[in-house]
Amino acid sequence: AQSVTQLGSHVSVSEGALVLLRCNYSSSVPPYLFWYVQYPNQGLQLLLKYTTGATLVKGINGFEAEFKKSETSFHLTKPSAHMSDAAEYFCAVSERTGRRALTFGSGTRLQVQP
Amino acid sequence: DTAVSQTPKYLVTQMGNDKSIKCEQNLGHDTMYWYKQDSKKFLKIMFSYNNKELIINETVPNRFSPKSPDKAHLNLHINSLELGDSAVYFCASSQIQGNEQFFGPGTRLTVL
């Protein structure tokens, strides 16, 4: 069975500071990996995904994530936080074949201080 | 151009009632999902349909019954609503390859 652990339910950074949101997964085979963002009272929007190929993936809004198989991690980063980045961020995994439902982490709320 | 739409956005009802939530996607995807987000923001899969066929049915009470009339629609009917059913329900869709899932705006269900 797959599982996802997001370290830190709340992360607070200053505007312009580095954003680092941590995600580790557990899976018997390398899964597909995703980061989603949820703004208040809205649905989930895909930030980026890793399926195959280059392990550093770039997403929307200046975010990127690196797949590290040896560490079973997929941490999300952004060099410079903006006030508009304040939201809930979810890391998710899915199997590559068969059952394709997303297994989500518990989420990390990002606060950006002025 | 809404990709995945859900109706209604808000649903407030009394315990014991029966209610339905509708979902439609215009992306041409062949797989659709229902997820439940609880009050602590935790998201969990409930059901998945591929080309109108049920492929995932998690441990969900029998009071919840999904129906897919065609591959663009996936509805969720809930019988005998309970307080614990209060949550936000999200519909999503994807193609098989890559499995990038597109989510609807959610339906906030409040059971009084």
Side-chain angles (χ1 to χ4, degrees), chain A residues 35-109:
Chain A
W35 275 99
Y36 282 86
V37 61
Q38 185 179 27
Y39 297 102
N41 298 315
Q42 293 189 27
L44 284 84
Q45 181 183 11
L46 181 69
L47 279 177
L48 47 79
K49 65 178 181 180
Y50 173 78
T51 56
T52 188
T55 56
L56 181 62
V57 293
K58 295 186 185 299
I60 62 171
N61 302 338
F63 284 94
E64 61 182 37
E66 186 170 11
F67 167 56
K68 291 188 176 181
K69 184 177 176 182
S70 60
E71 298 177 9
T72 59
S73 68
F74 192 55
H75 302 330
L76 181 71
T77 60
K78 182 174 180 177
S80 177
H82 192 272
M83 296 296 288
S84 61
D85 294 327
E88 192 88 24
Y89 291 80
F90 293 94
C91 182
V93 301
S94 78
E95 295 177 3
R96 292 175 174 266
T97 59
R99 175 189 166 96
R100 290 175 177 272
L102 294 172
T103 299
F104 285 90
S106 53
T108 297
R109 169 146 307 180

Side-chain angles (χ1 to χ4, degrees), chain B:
Chain B
D1 291 346
T2 304
V4 182
S5 59
Q6 293 179 230
T7 53
K9 188 166 174 63
Y10 299 97
L11 188 51
V12 181
T13 187
Q14 300 287 331
M15 269 175 46
N17 285 350
D18 303 338
K19 291 293 178 186
S20 292
I21 307 171
K22 295 187 176 183
C23 177
E24 177 181 2
Q25 54 97 2
N26 62 6
L27 297 167
H29 289 166
D30 50 21
T31 306
M32 296 184 73
Y33 311 81
W34 279 111
Y35 290 87
K36 179 180 179 180
Q37 185 173 44
D38 63 22
S39 58
K40 296 184 178 178
K41 301 280 189 181
F42 187 68
L43 282 147
K44 190 172 161 64
I45 183 69
M46 299 175 69
F47 302 103
S48 173
Y49 270 77
N50 179 261
N51 282 325
K52 303 194 298 175
E53 181 183 348
L54 181 66
I55 56 173
I56 294 175
N57 184 352
E58 287 296 280
T59 309
V60 176
N62 290 339
R63 300 181 293 103
F64 290 79
S65 53
K67 281 194 172 50
S68 182
D70 56 61
K71 74 174 194 177
H73 296 83
L74 180 60
N75 303 323
L76 183 65
H77 187 76
I78 315 170
N79 290 326
S80 304
L81 279 155
E82 300 178 357
L83 293 176
D85 297 333
S86 295
V88 181
Y89 293 85
F90 286 102
C91 177
S93 72
S94 72
Q95 283 287 37
I96 286 292
Q97 189 168 0
N99 200 27
E100 177 179 340
Q101 295 190 20
F102 291 79
F103 282 77
T107 296
R108 182 174 294 274
L109 171 65
T110 303
V111 182
L112 303 175

